[in-house]
Amino acid sequence: MNHNNKHRWPLAVALTTTLGAGGSAAAATLDDVRGQDRVRCGVNAAQPGFSALDASDTYRGLDTDVCRAVAAAVLGDAAKVHFVPLDSVERFTALQSGEVDVLSRTTTWTSTRDTTLGVNFTGISYYDGQAFLVASDLGVQSALELDGAAVCTQSGTTSELNLADYFRANGMTYEAVVFDSPEQSINGFEAGRCDVLSSDASQLHAQRMQLGDPDSAVVLPEIISKEPLGPAVRQGDDQWFNIVKWSLFAMINAEEMGITSANVDERLDSDNPDIARLLGRDGNYGEAMGLEADWAYRIVKQVGNYGEVFERNVGAGSDFGIERGQNALWTDGGLHYAPPVR
Amino acid sequence: MTIQHKMIEARPAPKSTVGPLAWLRANLFSGPVNTVFTLLGLYLLYLLLVPTIEWAFIDADWIGTTRDDCSREGACWVFVKARLGQFIYGLYPRDEIWRVNLTFGVFAVLIAWLMIPRLPFKRWVAAATLLVFPIFAFFLLYGGSFGLPLVQTHRWGGLMLTLVLAVVGMVGALPIGIVLALGRRSQMPIVKSFCVVFIEFWRGVPLITVLFMASVMLPLFMPTGVSVDRLIRAFIGITLFQSAYMAEVIRGGLQAIPRGQEEAAAALGMSYWLRMGLIVLPQALKMMIPGIVNTFISLFKDTTLVMIIGLFDLLGIVQAALSDSRWLGFSLEGYVFAAFMFWIFCFSMSRYSQYLERKLHTGHKR
C-alpha cells in the first residue's frame, strides 16, 4: 500500500500537470483575449497593402483587417487589436511563446511550417504567386513572349528557382540579373538593367508604385508559383483555431451572399436561410466557438466582407489596383471558397 | 652715424602674406602639383554639390500634404512634413504628446543647468537628474497613475524612443561600467574574475545577437503567458552590452593615473572608496572624456538595431512609413531626414565633449 502510494504520487503529479497544461492551453487564448480586452496580432512592419503604418498611426492592410475581423468577432470591436510588428525570423517564435495570439504576416502556408513549427494555418487570405513586371512600352501581353529577356530577381529566394523552372518548361531562354533586396531590384529595373522584374505578385505591385512613373510598367497576368498566404495560430488551442478560421470564412461567405458593411443591417431581416444563419438570426452558430450569435454580423459590419477588404487594401480602391484573379470567389472563377455556416 | 633711439613702429605685414589671397596661395596654390590637385578637388566638389543642392533645395517640393504635391523633379520634403509627428513621437497618442515634450523639456533644462558653469547647486541638480528624473520620466511617459492614461511601450517610437533608449543606456552603463572597471583592477580573485568574465562575454558578442537572443530565444525560456516587455528587454540588453565597453574605456583611464598617487592616499589613511572617489576617478574620468563620448555616440547610433526586435526607433519608423501605399518611392527623402537627425545629435555630443575637455584641461592634453 505504502509502496504503491510512493509510486503513484509522481505519476499523479505528472498527470495533473499534463492535464492542467492541456486544459489551460485549450481555453487560454480566448479567455486571455477577453480578459485583456485585446487581440494581439503579429504583422509585417512594412508590407504595402498588407500591413503598413499610415499617417494617422494606424496599421492598414489586408493582413491587419484579418486581425480586426477576429477582434470584432471575439470582442465586438474591430479596433481592439494590438499590432505587434515582427520580422520574418521571429514571427513563429512570437506566436509559440504567446507574445501574439494570431500571426497574420504574409506568411506562406507550406507543409514544413505547418507540421514542424507548432503552428496551425487557419486558411488562405491571399493567393499570392510569382509574377512578372515589364515596361509597358515593350508591348508584351503574356509571359510566354519573354523569350531571351533579361530578368531581375532577388538572390537566395525561391523566385530564382521558379524562374528557371518556368522558362525551361516553356522552352525559353533568359538572362538572370540578380540583386540582394527589393529596393535594389526595382532600381535596377528602372535603370534598364533588365526588361523584366520577377517576384511575388503582391510585392511587384508595391514595387511598381516606387517607380518614378508607375504607369510605365505593368504586371503580367501569369502566376508561375503557389504562395498561399494566411493567418496562423498556436497548436493546441482548437477553440481559438476555429475562431480565427471562421472569422476569415465569415468574410468570404458574406461576399458570396452579397452582404457588405453597408447593407448588412438590411440583410438581417433577409428570408434567405443561409444569410439568417450567418448573421445569427437563425440558430446560434457562434456558441460552440464561445462567441455570441452575432459574431459574423459584427465582422461584416465593422470590417466588411472579403471583397471589400481586398478592394480597399490592394484592389481597385487602393493605389495598387491588383486584379482579383485567383483571389476572386469560386463563383467568379477564383479560388476563394468557404464552407457554409450551418 | 646716427643711432635711432625710437623703436620702429610696427608695420602691417606685406599684402602678399596676409588676407584671403595669401592664404589661398599658401595653402591651395603653392606649387604646380598643388594647383592641379586644388582645381581637381574643386571640380569634383562641383560635380557632387550642384546636383545635391538642386535635389535637396532648388527642385525640392516643400508645400503640400499629399503625394500629388510632389513634382518628382527633386526631393519631396512633403513626405517628411506629413510624417514628422510620427517620426518624432512614434505611435504615441497625439493628445498625450505634451507628456513627451514635458519630459524632454525638463531633461534639457536639467542638462543645460549641469552644462552651464555659472549656475549654482550643481550637486543637487545632478542628484535630481540621476535619481528623481528617471522616476518622473517613467510616470510621465508610461502613465497609468496620477490620472494620466496608460501609454503602452509598443506605442513609443521615433526620435523619442531613440532618445529614451540612448539616455537609459548611457545613464545605466556609466555606473555599471565604473564598478566593472574597478572590479577588474581589484585584488580580490572572485570579484576580479567575475568582472573579467562579464566584460569579455559581453564584448565577445555583437549587439545584434544580444537583441536577437532577447527577442527570439528569451520568450521560449519563459513559462507560457509570462512575457517581459520588449522595451525592457532592449533596455537590459543595451545597458549590459554598453557597460562592458564602458568598463574598458574607464579601465584605460584608470591605468593612466600613476600608482604612487593611490599609494600616497593610502598612506594618508584614506579608505578604498575615498581614494577612488577623491583621488583617482576625478583625474581619470577627465582623461576618459573622448573615450566615453565615443562610446555614447556609438550607443546612440546602435539604438537603431532595436528595429530587429520590432521596436520603431527613428530609422525604424522612417522605414515603416516608406511602405505606406500613399507614399511609396520616397525612401531617399526618408533616409536623408533620418541621417540628418542622427548627425545633429551625434555632432552636438562631439562638440560638447570637446568643450568639456578644454574646460577641464589641466595639462594632460597633448
Side-chain angles (χ1 to χ4, degrees):
Chain A
M1 180 81 195
N2 215 352
H3 181 79
N4 267 351
N5 259 349
K6 261 185 187 166
H7 272 277
R8 214 176 287 152
W9 266 113
L11 188 74
V13 169
L15 206 65
T16 330
T17 324
T18 324
L19 283 178
S24 68
T29 315
L30 181 62
D31 292 345
D32 178 54
V33 165
R34 285 244 168 87
Q36 302 274 329
D37 201 28
R38 48 103 186 89
V39 175
R40 288 167 310 172
C41 173
V43 294
N44 198 322
Q47 172 79 11
F50 288 84
S51 69
L53 207 53
D54 75 359
S56 56
D57 297 351
T58 320
Y59 282 97
R60 298 272 170 223
L62 195 131
D63 278 352
T64 61
D65 279 347
V66 170
C67 288
R68 289 199 175 88
V70 175
V74 175
L75 302 170
D77 184 352
K80 287 183 175 167
V81 189
H82 167 164
F83 290 107
V84 182
L86 297 171
D87 73 13
S88 57
V89 184
E90 63 171 345
R91 55 183 162 181
F92 294 111
T93 315
L95 185 61
Q96 287 156 358
S97 66
E99 205 180 321
V100 296
D101 304 312
V102 183
L103 179 70
S104 181
R105 191 200 171 282
T106 50
T107 306
T108 305
W109 185 353
T110 65
S111 66
T112 321
R113 285 174 174 172
D114 206 358
T115 53
T116 62
L117 291 175
V119 303
N120 276 333
F121 285 85
T122 65
I124 295 169
S125 56
Y126 186 90
Y127 289 93
D128 205 353
Q130 194 173 337
F132 298 100
L133 180 78
V134 297
S136 31
D137 53 17
L138 277 183
V140 174
Q141 300 293 321
S142 155
L144 294 169
E145 300 166 31
L146 293 176
D147 196 8
V151 185
C152 286
T153 54
Q154 278 165 66
S155 61
T157 61
T158 47
S159 313
E160 252 182 308
L161 201 69
N162 295 334
L163 199 62
D165 291 350
Y166 180 78
F167 275 81
R168 195 179 322 122
N170 288 295
M172 302 190 294
T173 57
Y174 72 104
E175 181 200 339
V177 183
V178 181
F179 291 95
D180 281 335
S181 72
E183 285 77 32
Q184 286 175 354
S185 55
I186 189 70
N187 288 339
F189 176 78
E190 193 165 22
R193 299 273 307 274
C194 50
D195 314 310
V196 187
L197 176 61
S198 185
S199 179
D200 285 350
S202 57
Q203 192 178 326
L204 280 183
H205 283 96
Q207 285 181 312
R208 191 176 75 93
M209 296 301 296
Q210 292 171 22
L211 293 171
D213 175 18
D215 293 329
S216 66
V218 288
V219 179
L220 296 177
E222 277 89 353
I223 300 281
I224 64 166
S225 73
K226 287 198 288 188
E227 301 283 343
L229 311 179
V233 296
R234 264 186 303 286
Q235 266 175 11
D237 187 347
D238 287 351
Q239 185 190 28
W240 186 250
F241 173 70
N242 285 336
I243 290 172
V244 177
K245 177 169 62 182
W246 281 93
S247 297
L248 181 58
F249 283 157
M251 288 199 283
I252 295 171
N253 274 324
E255 190 191 3
E256 191 180 329
M257 296 172 196
I259 312 170
T260 66
S261 53
N263 70 12
V264 64
D265 286 315
E266 300 160 27
R267 293 303 184 92
L268 273 178
D269 302 320
S270 165
D271 297 330
N272 183 331
D274 283 336
I275 295 180
R277 279 194 288 265
L278 178 69
L279 298 181
R281 280 303 168 107
D282 178 12
N284 185 349
Y285 294 91
E287 195 176 13
M289 294 188 280
L291 302 179
E292 284 81 37
D294 64 343
W295 62 281
Y297 165 79
R298 295 193 284 203
I299 293 177
V300 180
K301 177 77 183 162
Q302 297 182 24
V303 185
N305 67 33
Y306 181 79
E308 287 178 87
V309 168
F310 186 96
E311 298 301 345
R312 178 169 69 219
N313 292 308
V314 294
S318 73
D319 297 294
F320 306 109
I322 302 180
E323 305 262 323
R324 285 295 289 270
Q326 291 180 327
N327 287 294
L329 293 181
W330 63 288
T331 46
D332 302 330
L335 293 171
H336 279 296
Y337 181 102
V341 174
R342 63 164 184 255
Chain B
M1 195 174 165
T2 56
I3 298 168
Q4 181 149 355
H5 294 282
K6 258 193 330 189
M7 293 283 277
I8 299 174
E9 288 212 13
R11 279 175 298 178
K15 277 251 162 54
S16 60
T17 61
V18 290
L21 268 180
W23 184 88
L24 283 178
R25 266 187 73 175
N27 291 294
L28 299 177
F29 301 101
S30 57
V33 179
N34 282 350
T35 307
V36 168
F37 275 118
T38 299
L39 290 177
L40 203 67
L42 282 176
Y43 180 64
L44 283 179
L45 216 59
Y46 168 82
L47 282 187
L48 196 73
L49 275 184
V50 169
T52 310
I53 290 173
E54 271 183 355
W55 178 82
F57 299 104
I58 298 171
D59 293 337
D61 300 298
W62 301 85
I63 305 155
T65 46
T66 64
R67 184 195 184 94
D68 301 329
D69 297 315
C70 297
S71 61
R72 302 305 288 255
E73 280 160 12
C76 184
W77 301 114
V78 178
F79 166 64
V80 173
K81 210 174 82 179
R83 292 294 189 126
L84 195 61
Q86 211 172 59
F87 289 170
I88 292 180
Y89 302 105
L91 307 185
Y92 211 85
R94 284 293 170 273
D95 299 336
E96 305 287 331
I97 54 172
W98 62 270
R99 284 155 60 175
V100 181
N101 292 338
L102 181 63
T103 309
F104 285 108
V106 169
F107 185 66
V109 168
L110 287 173
I111 291 292
W113 192 296
L114 290 174
M115 277 158 71
I116 298 172
R118 275 174 299 163
L119 295 173
F121 311 120
K122 282 278 192 298
R123 208 167 277 253
W124 290 103
V125 176
T129 312
L130 286 177
L131 302 174
V132 184
F133 178 75
I135 301 167
F136 167 79
F138 170 79
F139 279 109
L140 201 59
L141 290 178
Y142 189 68
S145 45
F146 302 114
L148 292 171
L150 190 83
V151 181
Q152 285 181 315
T153 53
H154 74 94
R155 300 200 69 93
W156 300 20
L159 181 63
M160 166 218 171
L161 183 71
T162 298
L163 286 174
V164 168
L165 281 167
V167 170
V168 169
M170 290 170 194
V171 170
L174 193 58
I176 301 179
I178 292 178
V179 171
L180 284 172
L182 293 177
R184 191 165 185 169
R185 283 164 55 90
S186 162
Q187 311 280 336
M188 291 178 274
I190 294 180
V191 172
K192 184 177 172 140
S193 44
F194 171 79
C195 291
V196 170
V197 168
F198 183 94
I199 292 171
E200 295 306 329
F201 172 76
W202 288 99
R203 279 206 309 172
V205 286
L207 180 57
I208 199 156
T209 321
V210 175
L211 292 173
F212 211 69
M213 278 293 283
S215 80
V216 179
M217 298 308 289
L218 200 63
L220 293 178
F221 301 148
M222 301 267 203
T224 319
V226 178
S227 69
V228 181
D229 191 279
R230 284 160 168 249
L231 191 60
I232 306 275
R233 283 188 240 157
F235 279 160
I236 295 173
I238 289 179
T239 306
L240 293 182
F241 183 83
Q242 289 297 333
S243 60
Y245 277 85
M246 195 57 83
E248 288 301 279
V249 170
I250 291 168
R251 194 165 67 95
L254 291 178
Q255 279 176 348
I257 306 296
R259 193 145 194 89
Q261 292 203 18
E262 204 191 329
E263 285 165 1
L268 288 175
M270 294 171 99
S271 73
Y272 175 79
W273 293 109
L274 279 180
R275 293 200 304 269
M276 285 301 146
L278 295 178
I279 310 288
V280 178
L281 280 177
Q283 300 182 71
L285 282 172
K286 192 170 61 194
M287 282 188 289
M288 291 170 223
I289 289 172
I292 291 178
V293 172
N294 203 24
T295 315
F296 280 170
I297 289 178
S298 92
L299 162 65
F300 189 80
K301 292 188 288 190
D302 280 351
T303 55
T304 50
L305 292 175
V306 298
M307 225 165 22
I308 67 147
I309 59 169
L311 293 171
F312 287 132
D313 76 311
L314 179 59
L315 188 63
I317 200 99
V318 167
Q319 276 191 339
L322 293 178
S323 67
D324 181 2
S325 61
R326 309 246 169 264
W327 290 103
L328 284 177
F330 292 94
S331 43
L332 202 53
E333 286 86 343
Y335 289 133
V336 166
F337 172 77
F340 182 64
M341 293 305 282
F342 274 104
W343 181 79
I344 289 182
F345 279 92
C346 295
F347 185 65
S348 338
M349 274 194 272
S350 155
R351 298 302 299 181
Y352 179 65
S353 91
Q354 288 180 14
Y355 159 79
L356 210 59
E357 274 176 60
R358 278 198 301 276
K359 191 167 92 83
L360 299 177
H361 168 63
T362 46
H364 288 295
K365 193 173 162 192
R366 296 214 171 97

